[in-house]
Amino acid sequence: MSAASEEKHQEMLEEDEQHDNDYQHEEEEEEQRHSYTRIEELSALKIAEADIKKLKEAKLYTVESVAYTPKKVLVTIKGLSEAKVEKLQAAAYKILASNMNFKTATEYYKEREDIVKITTGSTKLDDLLGGGIETGSITEIFGEFRTGKTQICHMLCVTCQFPKASGGAEGCALYIDTEGTFRPKRVAQMAERYGMDSNDLLDNISFARAYSSEHQMKLLQEAAQMMTETKYAVVIVDSATALFRSEYVGRGELAARQQELGKFLRQLLQLCDIFGVAVVITNQVVSDPGGLSFGPQTKPIGGNIIAHASTTRISLRKGSKSTRVAKIYDSPNLPEEECQFAISNDGIIDTEDAK
């Protein structure tokens, strides 16, 4: 082989190696970007394009959403018979076999090691939460007015965009506001603490005002589609219960309210399971006449429906001046402890940093 031929051969080998590296890098990026399976993958198991289109029209954009949705709901989609639904779910189960079947506790333990925790801005509050707000689950924050619920939500819009090494999740925030309390200027003010560009930061927050409980639920369906196009780290609903509480009044409508609230929380849980986002909901409190005189005189609304849907429940109360007290009200893995944090122009901070 001549020197020229050998040089050309070497160049080709280097190009092939570079191509393989680029392809591997793209695959790694794709795997990192998506924790879900696009609904188009069903076509590989001989599912008709027309049926996939019907699923997308019904706001189902992932294979997981087909697998996790009850059959009685899927058969209500126009053009899908019971036989078709069975075929669709069988195909979805086959694609998601590793998630839909039994696994060892060791395997699940290793999976949970990859869960990201989002910092709240306060070291003490992060420590109370075992490192921060957990992705892949619902965290409920409740308390009386001016206890810091909305301030924490604003802060998470900033910190969720941090690199993982800095306590973030490297994703966007989705904010559903039911009470008209979201303030972009306040988010930008919090971002100044970290020297972040407020324009870029605000561009990474998707905001919607919900005007009714039906609208609130519709926004979640839109959110599912948005998450197939952009990486989101946190979904915030402030407050999750206000509209349900105002629309369903009295004991006569209590059962209907709880049923609709349950549907909403199920949709939120699906977003956790499918896209691995952290879901943070705020909740109001009501006086508890049956409470002990030496115990808490209020309780979060929503009853058992919201209690069972939330993985971690945080109770907030006012402290002195700008300080607040957070307590773990319920959690499968965190002790019922409490800590103090403060609210300042910089957002959520430790009490010793408060001026």
Side-chain angles (χ1 to χ4, degrees):
M1 186 182 288
S2 66
S5 298
E6 188 173 344
E7 187 177 344
K8 187 175 181 181
H9 179 66
Q10 184 64 30
E11 286 178 359
M12 290 174 66
L13 286 175
E14 288 176 359
E15 284 179 7
D16 287 344
E17 186 179 353
Q18 183 63 39
H19 179 269
D20 289 343
N21 288 339
D22 290 345
Y23 180 73
Q24 186 177 0
H25 184 63
E26 286 174 9
E27 276 195 324
E28 286 174 357
E29 279 190 340
E30 187 72 15
E31 186 178 349
Q32 197 173 36
R33 194 181 301 122
H34 300 319
S35 60
Y36 58 90
T37 310
R38 293 185 180 278
I39 202 163
E40 288 80 8
E41 295 296 319
L42 289 171
S43 60
L45 293 179
K46 298 180 180 179
I47 299 297
E49 292 293 336
D51 291 337
I52 293 175
K53 185 180 178 183
K54 288 168 188 171
L55 290 170
K56 291 171 80 172
E57 287 172 352
K59 310 297 183 185
L60 299 173
Y61 304 101
T62 64
V63 174
E64 287 84 355
S65 62
V66 176
Y68 301 162
T69 302
K71 188 185 295 182
K72 66 179 182 179
V73 175
L74 292 176
V75 294
T76 63
I77 298 173
K78 188 176 180 181
L80 293 185
S81 63
E82 191 170 338
K84 276 188 178 181
V85 168
E86 287 181 0
K87 184 180 178 182
L88 284 166
Q89 287 202 315
Y93 291 162
K94 190 171 184 179
I95 292 172
L96 304 174
S98 60
N99 291 335
M100 302 296 288
N101 297 324
F102 283 104
K103 63 184 74 174
T104 66
T106 303
E107 290 172 322
Y108 187 53
Y109 179 81
K110 288 178 180 177
E111 285 178 14
R112 284 195 55 82
E113 286 184 330
D114 295 330
I115 286 176
V116 175
K117 302 285 182 72
I118 303 172
T119 179
T120 61
S122 163
T123 305
K124 297 287 178 61
L125 186 53
D126 286 347
D127 290 343
L128 181 74
L129 296 170
I133 299 293
E134 185 178 275
T135 55
S137 65
I138 297 177
T139 300
E140 176 196 359
I141 305 172
F142 67 88
E144 296 179 343
F145 68 97
R146 295 187 69 248
T147 51
K149 303 186 295 294
T150 298
Q151 295 299 311
I152 292 175
C153 292
H154 280 60
M155 194 72 194
L156 290 171
C157 288
V158 177
T159 59
C160 75
Q161 300 182 39
F162 290 176
K164 291 179 182 177
S166 302
E170 300 175 6
C172 301
L174 190 145
Y175 202 113
I176 298 176
D177 179 11
T178 67
E179 298 182 307
T181 54
F182 179 72
R183 296 292 181 269
K185 187 175 181 180
R186 178 63 174 135
V187 177
Q189 187 182 36
M190 292 176 173
E192 289 177 7
R193 166 182 173 184
Y194 302 100
M196 300 173 73
D197 184 280
S198 60
N199 291 325
D200 290 343
L201 179 102
L202 293 174
D203 283 341
N204 291 330
I205 302 171
S206 299
F207 164 79
R209 175 74 194 274
Y211 295 98
S212 69
S213 59
E214 290 90 350
H215 184 210
Q216 190 173 325
M217 295 181 78
K218 186 182 178 186
L219 287 172
L220 279 194
Q221 293 177 334
E222 292 178 17
Q225 182 180 13
M226 293 164 65
M227 288 181 191
T228 62
E229 300 165 356
T230 307
K231 182 184 176 183
Y232 283 87
V234 64
V235 175
I236 296 166
V237 187
D238 183 24
S239 123
T241 53
L243 293 173
F244 291 97
R245 185 182 182 187
S246 62
E247 292 173 17
Y248 297 89
V249 183
R251 288 191 174 274
E253 293 189 297
L254 181 61
R257 184 190 80 178
Q258 292 301 87
Q259 187 176 22
E260 292 304 307
L261 182 58
K263 289 178 183 177
F264 177 73
L265 293 168
R266 180 184 175 84
Q267 282 186 309
L268 280 175
L269 199 53
Q270 277 201 6
L271 293 182
C272 291
D273 293 337
I274 296 171
F275 300 102
V277 295
V279 170
V280 177
I281 60 175
T282 66
N283 194 6
Q284 301 172 341
V285 294
V286 291
S287 58
D288 183 14
L292 299 173
S293 58
F294 52 84
Q297 300 299 304
T298 61
K299 63 179 180 180
I301 71 169
N304 291 333
I305 294 289
I306 203 163
H308 293 311
S310 303
T311 304
T312 302
R313 309 185 80 190
I314 307 167
S315 167
L316 299 182
R317 69 178 189 271
K318 297 172 189 173
S320 59
K321 297 183 180 179
S322 64
T323 63
R324 302 291 185 270
V325 180
K327 181 179 180 180
I328 299 297
Y329 187 81
D330 183 34
S331 171
N333 61 308
L334 299 173
E336 289 188 20
E337 295 179 348
E338 62 181 45
C339 76
Q340 288 192 351
F341 64 93
I343 300 171
S344 73
N345 289 337
D346 290 334
I348 306 302
I349 60 172
D350 289 324
T351 51
E352 53 264 35
D353 296 331
K355 294 178 182 179

